[in-house]
Amino acid sequence: MHEAAHAPVSKESWVPAVPAQKVLRHSVRGQVLDALRAALVDGELAPGQIYSGPALGERFGVSATPVREAMQQLALEGAVECLPNRGFRVLSGTPRALAELAEVRALLEVPVMLRLARTVPPATWEALRPAALATAEAAAAGDLPAYADADRAFHRAVLSLAGNAQLVRIAEELHRRAQWPLPGAPRVRRADLVADAAEHSALLEALVAQDLPVVESLVREHFAGSAGC
């Protein structure tokens, strides 16, 4: 008696099974990481303070494990340091470090912006209007974490037009670090966020017009005088 023939499984249709528990754990860790990043930007996690995994887990309604995993990611990003048997200390930035970040971002992004201004058609820039509008809406609401996310999304959308994934990744990391508040700094005012967001629309106008001097001036000023963004 011959065994029944089995139909071959195509590479296109076969997807390896992923345990639901693993997916859920990754999802929880990602959500906690997003919440911790928002708390850093908003100043809820204060520079110099020590936070324990169990205490933060209780705050977010999760176990300490995804909190520790998220904090380890933040340690890699330079936001916190791990203290064995104690928890995690939020690192304190300095005005000098913030200025250095602005300088490095300008060195990376200004040449790219100028090249894109010469080569990208106006219709492509017009398609980024919703991204600029999202920053304006978050700014008008005075929602600093939402503004930080929208601001990074706008810059990411612009830089992605260069077709260089490594550039986008490095610029995003620098951008995120620039958004962490300085110790003792007053909370960013809504008016500052609104002014910062307006520079995105002005930049799009200059890019559409291929006005290179204005593009360069706006990008440099945006980094040097932005509301931590």
Side-chain angles (χ1 to χ4, degrees):
M1 184 174 185
H2 297 287
E3 294 181 354
H6 294 280
V9 179
S10 68
K11 293 182 179 179
E12 290 77 15
S13 64
W14 181 79
V15 178
V18 179
Q21 184 177 5
K22 183 176 181 180
V23 174
L24 179 61
R25 178 175 173 180
H26 179 77
S27 175
V28 171
R29 180 178 60 186
Q31 292 174 23
V32 171
L33 180 58
D34 288 343
L36 289 172
R37 283 172 170 163
L40 282 169
V41 170
D42 210 28
E44 294 179 27
L45 296 182
Q49 295 297 313
I50 299 174
Y51 299 90
S52 71
L56 289 173
E58 183 176 351
R59 171 179 174 177
F60 294 123
V62 299
S63 69
T65 299
V67 173
R68 292 193 182 101
E69 291 173 345
M71 278 295 198
Q72 287 166 0
Q73 175 60 37
L74 290 176
L76 292 175
E77 296 175 4
V80 303
E81 64 176 338
C82 301
L83 302 177
N85 302 319
R86 297 182 65 190
F88 302 85
R89 177 188 287 122
V90 178
L91 295 178
S92 300
T94 65
R96 178 181 176 84
L98 197 60
E100 289 175 349
L101 282 171
E103 180 180 6
V104 174
R105 291 180 68 198
L107 288 171
L108 280 176
E109 297 192 33
V110 168
V112 174
M113 293 279 196
L114 293 176
R115 175 163 59 87
L116 292 175
R118 297 186 189 97
T119 58
V120 173
T124 301
W125 295 123
E126 292 292 349
L128 296 187
R129 296 285 185 187
L133 179 61
T135 68
E137 291 175 344
D143 189 333
L144 184 55
Y147 182 79
D149 288 342
D151 186 47
R152 289 195 315 277
F154 174 81
H155 284 264
R156 184 168 59 247
V158 172
L159 292 177
S160 66
L161 297 176
N164 188 326
Q166 295 304 313
L167 168 70
V168 174
R169 180 184 62 80
I170 292 171
E172 174 102 355
E173 180 179 348
L174 294 173
H175 195 165
R176 193 184 297 279
R177 293 188 181 209
Q179 292 174 329
W180 300 333
L182 296 175
R187 181 176 174 81
V188 178
R189 300 178 305 167
R190 181 181 303 181
D192 295 328
L193 293 179
V194 170
D196 200 70
E199 293 177 358
H200 296 145
S201 295
L203 176 60
L204 283 182
E205 295 291 348
L207 289 166
V208 167
Q210 294 187 319
D211 192 332
L212 303 188
V214 173
V215 168
E216 180 171 1
S217 176
L218 283 171
V219 175
R220 291 189 184 280
E221 291 176 5
H222 188 67
F223 291 157
S226 65
C229 301

